[in-house]
């Protein structure tokens, strides 16, 4: 993902701050352990002095210096491990608490950017870092079926609102489990306030936590970017389009709330079709029913969605209103 120098520097500052925080936590851990187990500090000092001593021997031409160092350090390591085991800890306690263990908070795996760097670039370009705060609340650990009544039935399926919600969650979890093996898309529809956005956020949280890149847009935000790309044709707009086409998961929320016209319809088809060709997953949520979807958008879009997306309908009473009453 091409970034401007200032954008790259901003992301690098985030990694520098992570590393500094990790080192500070590690020093605090060590200080606490050394007070409790003074021998641990002695072992660290012995290891350091052994390294210096054997390095000098190696420079003096001693052929056994390297083997001697390995044996001595191994003895110290085993003693340290035994002390840590008595404290209920392991060797990883002497590593910083990495926000991303895959790259150890450097942003790179070898010469390749880590998945966390790619997501940081997405967050910065689309100023969607606030989604992290939203996902702290809107995730599966906070999902409740209590808002879905058991006395409301969908005549088309015979399932109650609660049974429908449970099936929707089951389908969402299946989508997450199979994300890397099977290409899928989801279409979440139903009346206002039935939990479509919440469910898509739950999915986003799980995939972000497992190292996938996710972009969340309302339909209005997406079409605003597509319009800039079409008519401004600058390098920043081109980069934005690459993100939209290439991210692991694109979420388009509230489709149908934008001002639909010939341009938005053609751009929506371009976006959905391009992601399908690249086998990149998309989640669409909307208040529109199938008849409305067909009437507002083209036959091509309607056909593409119906044939290529798993349909998940949610229904019941408006959850937002229920929460307001409780408060």
């Amino acid at each position: 993902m091409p970034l401007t120098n200032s954008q790259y520097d901003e992301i690098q500052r985030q990694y520098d701050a992570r590393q500094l925080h990790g080192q500070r936590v590690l020093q605090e851990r060590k200080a606490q352990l050394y007070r409790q187990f003074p021998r641990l500090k002695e072992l660290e000092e012995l290891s350091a002095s052994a390294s210096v001593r054997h390095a000098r021997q190696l420079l003096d031409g001693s052929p056994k210096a390297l083997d001697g160092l390995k044996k001595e350090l191994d003895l110290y390591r085993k003693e340290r491990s035994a002390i840590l085991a008595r404290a209920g800890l392991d060797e990883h306690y002497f590593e910083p608490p990495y926000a991303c263990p895959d790259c150890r908070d450097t942003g790179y795996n070898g010469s390749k950017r880590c998945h966390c760097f790619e997501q940081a670039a997405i967050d910065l370009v689309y100023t969607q870092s606030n989604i992290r705060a939203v996902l702290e609340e809107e995730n599966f650990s906070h999902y409740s079926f209590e808002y879905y009544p058991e006395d409301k039935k969908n005549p088309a399926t015979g399932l109650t609102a609660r049974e429908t919600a449970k099936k929707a969650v089951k389908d969402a979890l299946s989508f997450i489990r199979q994300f890397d093996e099977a290409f899928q898309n989801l279409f979440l529809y139903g009346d206002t306030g039935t939990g479509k956005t919440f469910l898509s956020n739950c999915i986003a949280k799980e995939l972000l936590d497992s190292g996938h890149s996710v972009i969340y847009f309302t339909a209005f935000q997406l079409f605003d970017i597509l319009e800039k790309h079409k008519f401004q044709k600058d390098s920043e707009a081109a980069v934005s389009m690459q993100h939209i086409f290439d991210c692991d998961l694109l979420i388009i929320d509230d489709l149908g709330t934008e001002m639909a016209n010939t341009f938005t319809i053609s751009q929506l088809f371009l976006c959905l079709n391009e992601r399908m060709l690249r086998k990149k997953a998309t989640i669409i949520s909307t208040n529109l029913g199938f008849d409305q979807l067909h009437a507002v958008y083209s036959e091509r879009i309607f056909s593409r969605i119906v044939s290529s997306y798993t349909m998940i309908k949610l229904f019941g009473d408006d959850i937002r209103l229920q929460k307001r009453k409780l408060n």
Side-chain angles (χ1 to χ4, degrees):
M1 292 180 186
L3 295 167
T4 65
N5 289 337
S6 62
Q7 287 173 331
Y8 181 87
D9 290 343
E10 166 133 4
I11 293 174
Q12 199 56 55
R13 281 194 293 272
Q14 295 174 17
Y15 282 102
D16 291 343
R18 286 186 193 178
Q19 292 174 37
L20 188 62
H21 172 74
Q23 289 299 324
R24 188 162 52 245
V25 171
L26 180 59
Q27 292 307 315
E28 290 170 357
R29 285 179 178 178
K30 284 185 175 181
Q32 183 179 358
L33 275 176
Y34 291 163
R35 286 193 297 269
Q36 190 175 358
F37 303 101
R39 179 60 177 165
L40 284 174
K41 185 171 178 59
E42 292 175 12
L43 290 170
E44 183 169 331
E45 292 169 349
L46 287 169
S47 296
S49 62
S51 297
V52 172
R53 186 174 67 255
H54 285 282
R56 285 174 180 161
Q57 293 174 1
L58 191 62
L59 289 173
D60 290 338
S62 172
K64 297 181 179 179
L66 194 56
D67 286 340
L69 175 61
K70 288 179 180 178
K71 289 177 182 177
E72 190 170 348
L73 291 181
D74 191 50
L75 287 173
Y76 296 148
R77 184 188 59 77
K78 287 179 179 177
E79 186 178 352
R80 185 175 75 171
S81 296
I83 295 172
L84 289 173
R86 289 200 299 273
L89 304 170
D90 60 24
E91 290 289 336
H92 292 300
Y93 200 70
F94 276 94
E95 294 180 358
Y98 298 116
C100 179
D102 294 335
C103 68
R104 296 179 168 236
D105 292 346
T106 63
Y108 284 83
N109 290 314
S111 60
K112 184 180 178 183
R113 286 179 181 175
C114 184
H115 58 79
C116 66
F117 190 106
E118 300 293 351
Q119 187 62 43
I122 287 172
D123 290 348
L124 180 63
V125 170
Y126 298 114
T127 61
Q128 66 165 25
S129 299
N130 62 320
I131 195 175
R132 300 284 184 171
V134 172
L135 299 185
E136 287 303 311
E137 293 298 323
E138 298 193 3
N139 55 63
F140 282 117
S141 64
H142 291 109
Y143 199 98
S144 174
F145 294 109
E146 296 302 314
Y147 296 109
Y148 297 93
E150 294 185 285
D151 57 353
K152 264 191 177 179
K153 279 193 176 183
N154 182 346
T157 64
L159 298 177
T160 67
R162 186 167 300 179
E163 289 170 338
T164 301
K166 288 181 178 180
K167 183 179 183 304
V169 169
K170 183 179 178 181
D171 290 342
L173 292 173
S174 175
F175 174 82
I176 294 164
R177 280 194 305 271
Q178 300 177 44
F179 192 81
D180 291 321
E181 285 76 40
F183 169 59
Q184 300 178 72
N185 302 295
L186 298 180
F187 186 80
L188 310 180
Y189 68 109
D191 294 336
T192 301
T194 50
K196 302 180 296 296
T197 299
F198 195 106
L199 184 57
S200 64
N201 284 343
C202 290
I203 296 170
K205 174 74 161 61
E206 295 297 315
L207 291 175
L208 281 168
D209 288 351
S210 59
H212 296 87
S213 56
V214 178
I215 298 181
Y216 168 93
F217 286 130
T218 63
F220 180 84
Q221 290 169 329
L222 174 64
F223 288 119
D224 183 55
I225 289 174
L226 296 177
E227 183 177 3
K228 287 177 181 176
H229 172 258
K230 180 72 173 178
F231 297 110
Q232 295 180 10
K233 293 190 179 299
D234 58 14
S235 58
E236 186 174 336
V239 170
S240 296
M241 290 302 292
Q242 285 305 116
H243 293 168
I244 290 169
F245 290 154
D246 287 336
C247 67
D248 295 327
L249 175 65
L250 174 66
I251 299 175
I252 306 173
D253 196 22
D254 274 343
L255 183 69
T257 55
E258 80 289 349
M259 185 68 71
N261 53 44
T262 304
F263 169 77
T264 58
I265 291 170
S266 65
Q267 290 301 296
L268 178 61
F269 180 81
L270 167 68
C271 179
L272 300 186
N273 192 58
E274 187 63 31
R275 287 188 60 79
M276 287 185 63
L277 291 174
R278 301 186 188 200
K279 295 196 177 301
K280 297 293 185 178
T282 305
I283 295 177
I284 298 174
S285 73
T286 182
N287 297 334
L288 301 178
F290 280 2
D291 290 343
Q292 293 169 298
L293 183 71
H294 187 274
V296 173
Y297 299 98
S298 69
E299 177 68 33
R300 285 197 307 170
I301 290 176
F302 179 77
S303 175
R304 190 58 51 93
I305 290 174
V306 170
S307 63
S308 307
Y309 284 65
T310 298
M311 302 294 170
I312 298 179
K313 182 175 183 179
L314 290 165
F315 76 100
D317 300 325
D318 191 321
I319 294 173
R320 298 187 192 98
L321 293 178
Q322 293 183 62
K323 288 182 176 179
R324 281 181 200 148
K325 289 177 183 177
L326 290 174
N327 294 333

